[in-house]
């Protein structure tokens, strides 16, 4: 709406009823318009020029203020309207409406949609009760609906060393491996046979194992990127994408078994894996990464990067170290000390939490300090070897019978001299198999700080066969 000096207040009110409540925030004089009788009298004659004079304002100044508010409110309304319509698209997808109809129906509306808005809508659906499994099941279809809009947008171009840059370089590496697999599959004309598998099984198996290294790519997303997004209450990607990661893992496992058996079905499985991974790459680079870059701060990304090397990379490693300019006072380290907690390398726990963790671990723990004195033992409910508070502070060589003291001394001296880094035993007693292992502890400067002994009843563990991937509680 174009505003001029002779534009009547009633014309603005008819289109923007909120103007009556907004004008008094500019000048108290306008509060009189909130009275229906006064408003009825003034609407016939009051123009912006007259209103500005009454409020002690320049008419151009008043027009500028009102235009800015209209732009602000319209922008918000448009965004909300787009969210509601896009939400309707996804619900229509779930209702089975044909894709061509949805694309044509909303092509104009979604041309300016952002990756963040798509993520927000899926999050909204989950928050409103749509099962995550349903969002996952039709995630591919959601992307297809928005693909035209997303294709026109630039994918992220972060600097080398940035976690997103590393993810994207890994994507290019995975694409090269998938092309190699496709080149082999092209040598199999028509429906694959046992003979085809004999000729190509070894080559395909080698390439599949190489592609399976994509596991580190997904684990870094799950354990480094997703937790950061969740700290901003963005949980949609972690719940939906993680499930898709598991689908890819299972598909690789199936294809691996089919190749080992020489089963021609492996050809179909490999093609499906390639399609699924390429779709995931599209989702990452057109939705996840742009949305993550909009949401996370440089400090967040530094913390994402700092934990990556512990997990590992897929096929490549960053060639340079990305170091954003973050003010020292804004920097935050993993395991930062919080009031009442003990700062650890990867977190912060209260003394009570530390004690409970050690107490409930299904192992016996005994710690001997650098002075060869017993400093701690775990007071678990089912200790394997008896301990009592009387041994705390006692020299470790006095805690063993004379016949085995020399063994203990030999272990400790070998640890101190860095000749050995583990001593392992297992014994059978009382119908149980007990596994015992000793490890030396060193600080960051390499100084010996003591020895930890861990004993575990492995009787039942030795009986395990196959897999149990689902919880099996007998009620």
């Amino acid at each position: 709406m174009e505003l001029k000096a002779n534009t009547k207040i009633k014309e603005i009110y008819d289109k923007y009823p909120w103007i009556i409540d907004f004008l008094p925030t500019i000048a108290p004089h306008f509060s009189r318009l909130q009275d229906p009788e006064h408003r009825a009298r003034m609407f016939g004659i009051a123009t912006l020029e007259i209103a500005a004079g009454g409020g002690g304002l320049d008419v151009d100044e008043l027009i500028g203020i009102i235009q800015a508010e209209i732009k602000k409110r319209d922008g918000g309304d448009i965004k909300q309207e787009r969210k509601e319509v896009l939400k309707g698209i996804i619900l229509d997808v779930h209702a089975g409406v044909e894709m061509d109809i949805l694309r044509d129906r909303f092509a104009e509306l979604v041309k300016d949609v952002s990756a963040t808005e798509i993520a927000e809508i899926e999050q909204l659906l989950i928050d409103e009760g749509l099962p995550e499994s349903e969002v996952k099941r039709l995630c591919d279809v959601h992307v297809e609906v928005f693909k035209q809009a997303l294709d026109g947008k630039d994918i992220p171009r972060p600097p080398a060393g940035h976690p997103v840059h590393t993810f994207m370089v890994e994507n290019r590496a995975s694409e090269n491996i998938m092309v190699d697999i496709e080149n082999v599959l092209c040598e199999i004309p028509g429906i694959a046979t046992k003979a085809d598998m004999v000729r190509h099984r070894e080559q395909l198996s080698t390439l599949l194992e190489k592609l399976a290294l994509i596991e580190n790519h997904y684990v870094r997303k799950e354990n480094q990127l997703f937790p950061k997004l969740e700290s901003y209450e963005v949980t949609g990607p972690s719940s939906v994408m993680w499930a898709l990661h598991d689908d890819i893992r299972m598909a690789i496992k199936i294809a691996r078994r089919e190749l080992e058996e020489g089963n021609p079905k492996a050809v179909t499985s490999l093609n499906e894996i390639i399609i699924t991974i390429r779709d995931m790459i599209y989702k990452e680079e057109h939705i996840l990464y742009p949305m993550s870059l909009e949401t996370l701060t440089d400090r967040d990304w530094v913390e994402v990067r700092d934990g990556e090397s512990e997990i590992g990379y897929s096929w490549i490693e960053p060639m340079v170290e990305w170091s954003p300019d973050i003010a020292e006072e804004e920097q935050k380290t993993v395991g930062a000390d919080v009031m009442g907690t003990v700062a650890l390398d990867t977190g912060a726990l209260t003394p009570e939490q530390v004690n409970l963790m050690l107490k409930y671990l299904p192992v016996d723990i005994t710690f001997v300090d650098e002075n060869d004195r017993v400093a701690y033992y775990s007071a678990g409910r089912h200790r394997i070897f008896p301990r009592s508070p009387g041994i705390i502070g006692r020299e470790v060589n006095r805690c063993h019978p004379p016949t085995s003291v020399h063994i203990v001394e030999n272990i400790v001296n070998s640890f101190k001299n860095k000749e050995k880094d583990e001593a392992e035993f297992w014994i059978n007693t009382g119908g149980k198999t007990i596994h015992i292992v000793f490890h030396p502890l060193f600080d960051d400067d390499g100084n010996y700080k003591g020895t930890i002994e861990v004993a575990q009843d492995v009787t039942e563990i030795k009986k395990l066969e196959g897999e149990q991937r689902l919880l099996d509680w007998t009620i």
Side-chain angles (χ1 to χ4, degrees):
M1 180 178 184
E2 185 179 4
L3 301 183
K4 298 179 180 179
N6 62 355
T7 300
K8 290 187 176 182
I9 297 296
K10 184 178 186 307
E11 296 176 53
I12 304 174
Y13 173 80
D14 288 341
K15 187 168 184 179
Y16 305 110
W18 50 260
I19 196 70
I20 298 304
D21 295 320
F22 174 69
L23 286 174
T25 65
I26 302 173
H29 170 77
F30 296 128
S31 61
R32 299 167 63 190
L33 290 172
Q34 293 176 323
D35 174 45
E37 292 185 3
H38 181 77
R39 186 164 66 240
R41 290 195 301 271
M42 295 302 297
F43 268 179
I45 59 172
T47 62
L48 283 175
E49 186 172 21
I50 294 173
L57 300 169
D58 178 80
V59 65
D60 290 334
E61 179 185 6
L62 179 61
I63 289 173
I65 293 172
I66 295 174
Q67 284 180 327
E69 187 67 15
I70 289 173
K71 182 177 180 181
K72 174 183 174 182
R73 296 194 181 215
D74 271 2
D77 292 343
I78 289 172
K79 184 176 182 181
Q80 184 60 36
E81 177 187 354
R82 184 160 58 219
K83 283 187 178 181
E84 289 302 316
V85 175
L86 290 175
K87 177 183 171 183
I89 294 176
I90 294 179
L91 293 176
D92 283 346
V93 167
H94 284 263
V97 176
E98 292 183 14
M99 197 64 57
D100 288 341
I101 295 175
L102 292 177
R103 268 198 300 267
D104 294 342
R105 180 177 164 194
F106 299 108
E108 182 63 26
L109 180 69
V110 302
K111 67 180 182 180
D112 296 323
V113 72
S114 70
T116 300
E117 284 182 75
I118 294 176
E120 288 175 353
I121 293 163
E122 292 198 343
Q123 182 69 55
L124 178 63
L125 289 172
I126 292 171
D127 293 342
E128 291 182 354
L130 186 67
E132 293 173 3
S133 58
E134 282 297 293
V135 178
K136 167 193 172 272
R137 185 173 67 85
L138 291 175
C139 186
D140 291 341
V141 188
H142 300 171
V143 172
E144 179 64 22
V145 172
F146 302 116
K147 198 171 187 300
Q148 182 177 357
L150 295 174
D151 280 343
K153 298 184 181 297
D154 293 334
I155 61 175
R157 302 290 181 188
H162 189 288
V164 171
H165 182 274
T166 304
F167 279 131
M168 293 179 68
V169 173
E170 287 178 332
N171 282 344
R172 304 291 82 78
S174 70
E175 288 169 342
N176 290 336
I177 298 169
M178 289 187 287
V179 169
D180 289 342
I181 293 175
E182 287 175 322
N183 288 337
V184 177
L185 295 178
C186 285
E187 297 178 16
I188 302 176
I191 300 175
T193 64
K194 285 277 189 180
D196 292 323
M197 300 313 298
V198 170
R199 285 194 299 271
H200 301 290
R201 180 175 61 183
E202 183 176 351
Q203 190 177 8
L204 288 173
S205 294
T206 300
L207 289 171
L208 178 61
E209 292 308 312
K210 190 174 181 181
L211 183 61
L213 293 177
I214 202 168
E215 172 70 7
N216 285 346
H217 180 93
Y218 293 152
V219 172
R220 293 206 321 280
K221 284 170 61 181
E222 294 162 353
N223 293 281
Q224 291 298 112
L225 177 54
F226 290 168
K228 282 299 176 187
L229 292 175
E230 289 163 8
S231 70
Y232 291 90
E233 299 185 355
V234 181
T235 61
S238 58
S239 58
V240 176
M241 276 196 169
W242 200 321
L244 293 171
H245 294 169
D246 285 344
D247 288 347
I248 293 171
R249 290 170 173 130
M250 180 55 67
I252 290 174
K253 182 178 180 179
I254 292 171
R256 181 184 286 129
R257 183 174 66 246
E258 290 171 344
L259 284 170
E260 289 174 355
E261 297 170 350
N263 190 334
K265 290 182 179 179
V267 171
T268 300
S269 296
L270 288 169
N271 279 315
E272 290 176 352
I273 289 170
I274 290 172
I275 291 172
T276 307
I277 292 178
R278 282 182 174 149
D279 285 348
M280 176 60 74
I281 291 173
Y282 188 91
K283 295 180 181 75
E284 288 178 356
E285 299 189 355
H286 288 82
I287 298 178
L288 177 65
Y289 299 155
M291 181 267 294
S292 298
L293 289 168
E294 289 180 18
T295 304
L296 304 186
T297 65
D298 279 349
R299 185 178 66 190
D300 292 325
W301 285 115
V302 167
E303 293 178 4
V304 170
R305 180 204 62 195
D306 287 347
E308 289 185 325
S309 59
E310 292 187 26
I311 296 171
Y313 301 93
S314 298
W315 312 292
I316 60 95
E317 290 190 12
M319 300 298 292
V320 300
E321 181 175 343
W322 172 68
S323 298
D325 185 16
I326 303 176
E328 184 176 348
E329 63 272 15
E330 294 180 357
Q331 292 183 5
K332 181 176 70 174
T333 59
V334 175
D337 193 12
V338 181
M339 185 67 69
T341 65
V342 178
L344 306 172
D345 285 351
T346 54
L349 300 173
T350 65
E352 180 187 25
Q353 290 169 332
V354 173
N355 187 58
L356 287 172
M357 286 176 57
L358 293 170
K359 181 177 179 180
Y360 279 87
L361 283 172
V363 295
D364 282 5
I365 297 175
T366 304
F367 173 63
V368 178
D369 66 20
E370 65 266 42
N371 298 314
D372 301 338
R373 293 184 179 275
V374 178
Y376 170 84
Y377 69 88
S378 56
R381 293 175 295 174
H382 305 290
R383 282 202 60 89
I384 299 168
F385 300 118
R387 295 281 189 269
S388 68
I391 70 168
I392 300 299
R394 193 179 186 190
E395 291 184 11
V396 67
N397 59 2
R398 297 184 183 276
C399 297
H400 296 268
T403 54
S404 60
V405 168
H406 69 286
I407 298 176
V408 175
E409 291 177 342
N410 184 32
I411 291 172
V412 172
N413 289 331
S414 295
F415 287 169
K416 288 180 178 180
N417 297 328
K418 299 183 179 180
E419 296 170 353
K420 301 289 184 180
D421 59 7
E422 181 182 87
E424 184 180 27
F425 306 88
W426 53 94
I427 60 176
N428 295 308
T429 179
K432 296 180 179 181
T433 301
I434 309 301
H435 180 257
I436 308 163
V437 62
F438 296 81
H439 287 287
L441 307 182
F442 297 93
D443 63 18
D444 291 341
D445 296 323
N447 300 312
Y448 174 78
K449 289 297 181 179
T451 292
I452 187 170
E453 174 194 8
V454 180
Q456 183 177 13
D457 180 353
V458 296
T459 308
E460 297 302 317
I461 295 175
K462 287 177 62 180
K463 298 177 183 178
L464 296 179
E465 294 181 355
E467 293 183 337
Q468 179 175 300
R469 301 178 67 88
L470 299 176
L471 184 62
D472 183 19
W473 282 349
T474 301
I475 298 176

